[in-house]
Each structure stands twice: as structure tokens, then as C-alpha cells.
Amino acid sequence: MKTYFYLIVLILAGFSCKPDYVTVGKKLEGSWRLERFEYTDENNRLMVVDTPPAIVLNFTDSKRKGILSLETDSRSFEYNFGPDQCNIDVADETTLPIEAIGKVQVYSYAFRDKKNIQFFIDKEYNYSTKKIIKNVEYTFVKQ
């Protein structure tokens, strides 16, 4: 009898909770404007851009497609996410400016609150200078 009780409780708990990917997907949907960008350069200096160019990430639909809007350009991207990492695959990433996310694919992320999200990665390749930047962090605000 105990076994049946635990089995029923387990089944009901499984139906009553939404999987993490559903709740994370809903939180990600929408437009996110880049508010801060920081990294460590090749000389180990912390570089902070508090007023980055107009860069907006638009997570558009449940098919995991989006638009990366740059000041005068926009690029489509595909994304996939887990509980703490997000794969952002931007078309032609080699021509992205240093402040644009998507030069590599897998970023760790954390929601700071409902309107703020941070993406970070240990290193990225800066295609314009042909150098590696480290401790890269993007802070986005929901519009």
C-alpha cells in the first residue's frame, strides 16, 4: 500500500510542475537591450562599456529563433537553453562588433531579477583585433 501511495504522489508531482525549460523559455521571450559589457583584455585590464551601442536581443518564439539587432544591422539567430547555459548561434559571427553577443555559442547565464539577465563566458575571440578577451560579461535589461 505504501508503494502505491508513493507512486501516486510521484506521478501527481510530475504533472503539477512545469519543466524548467518551459519557465526559462517564457522568461527569455521578448526584447533585451544591452546595458553593460565588460571583459578583461590581453593585458589583464578590466574594460567596462557602460554605454554600449544599441544592441537588442529578441527571443521571438517557441521555435527558438531570434533577431540580434545592432545599430544599423540585424541578424537572425537560433538559440537553445538549459537551466544555466544558453546556446546562441548568430549568422556570420566573425563580423560582429566586440560588444555583440554571439561570437561563441554557449554562454552561461543568470537572471538577476525579472528585468535583468547576465550572460557570461570565460573567453571570446575578438575578430577585429584577432585577440582573445577573457571574463566576458553581458548585462541585458528587458524592454
Side-chain angles (χ1 to χ4, degrees), residues 84-89 104-108 120-123:
D84 57 358
Q85 290 188 323
C86 188
N87 179 348
I88 300 174
D89 188 9
V104 296
Q105 290 184 354
V106 180
Y107 294 88
S108 296
F120 40 95
I121 192 161
D122 59 341
K123 58 185 165 181

Side-chain angles (χ1 to χ4, degrees), residues 34-40 46-49 99 101 107-108 112 117-122 124 133-140:
L34 181 63
E35 184 168 275
R36 180 183 169 100
F37 171 68
E38 68 179 64
Y39 64 95
T40 304
L46 178 63
M47 308 300 286
V48 178
V49 181
E99 299 91 357
I101 195 168
Y107 294 88
S108 296
R112 297 301 171 213
I117 187 171
Q118 286 181 310
F119 291 92
F120 40 95
I121 192 161
D122 59 341
E124 279 187 342
I133 58 176
K134 298 181 277 185
N135 305 318
V136 183
E137 192 172 296
Y138 299 88
T139 302
F140 287 87

Side-chain angles (χ1 to χ4, degrees), residues 12 30 39 52 73 92 109 127 132:
L12 289 175
Y39 64 95
D73 187 17
D92 200 17
Y109 71 92
Y127 289 97
I132 293 176

Side-chain angles (χ1 to χ4, degrees), residues 6 9 15 32 36 63 68 76 83 88 105-106 123 125 127-128 141-142:
Y6 288 122
V9 169
F15 285 120
W32 296 85
R36 180 183 169 100
K63 293 181 180 153
L68 174 64
S76 60
I88 300 174
Q105 290 184 354
V106 180
K123 58 185 165 181
Y125 186 70
Y127 289 97
S128 62
V141 175
K142 193 156 197 175

Side-chain angles (χ1 to χ4, degrees), residues 37-99:
F37 171 68
E38 68 179 64
Y39 64 95
T40 304
D41 70 7
E42 66 276 0
N43 297 317
N44 286 326
R45 290 181 302 206
L46 178 63
M47 308 300 286
V48 178
V49 181
D50 281 326
T51 54
I55 296 175
V56 177
L57 268 176
N58 293 294
F59 294 97
T60 57
D61 60 29
S62 61
K63 293 181 180 153
R64 302 207 173 113
K65 295 187 184 289
I67 302 291
L68 174 64
S69 300
L70 307 165
E71 287 184 321
T72 59
D73 187 17
S74 63
R75 316 257 178 110
S76 60
F77 68 90
E78 294 182 4
Y79 65 97
N80 205 346
F81 53 87
D84 57 358
Q85 290 188 323
C86 188
N87 179 348
I88 300 174
D89 188 9
V90 178
D92 200 17
E93 72 279 356
T94 61
T95 60
L96 290 172
I98 190 170
E99 299 91 357

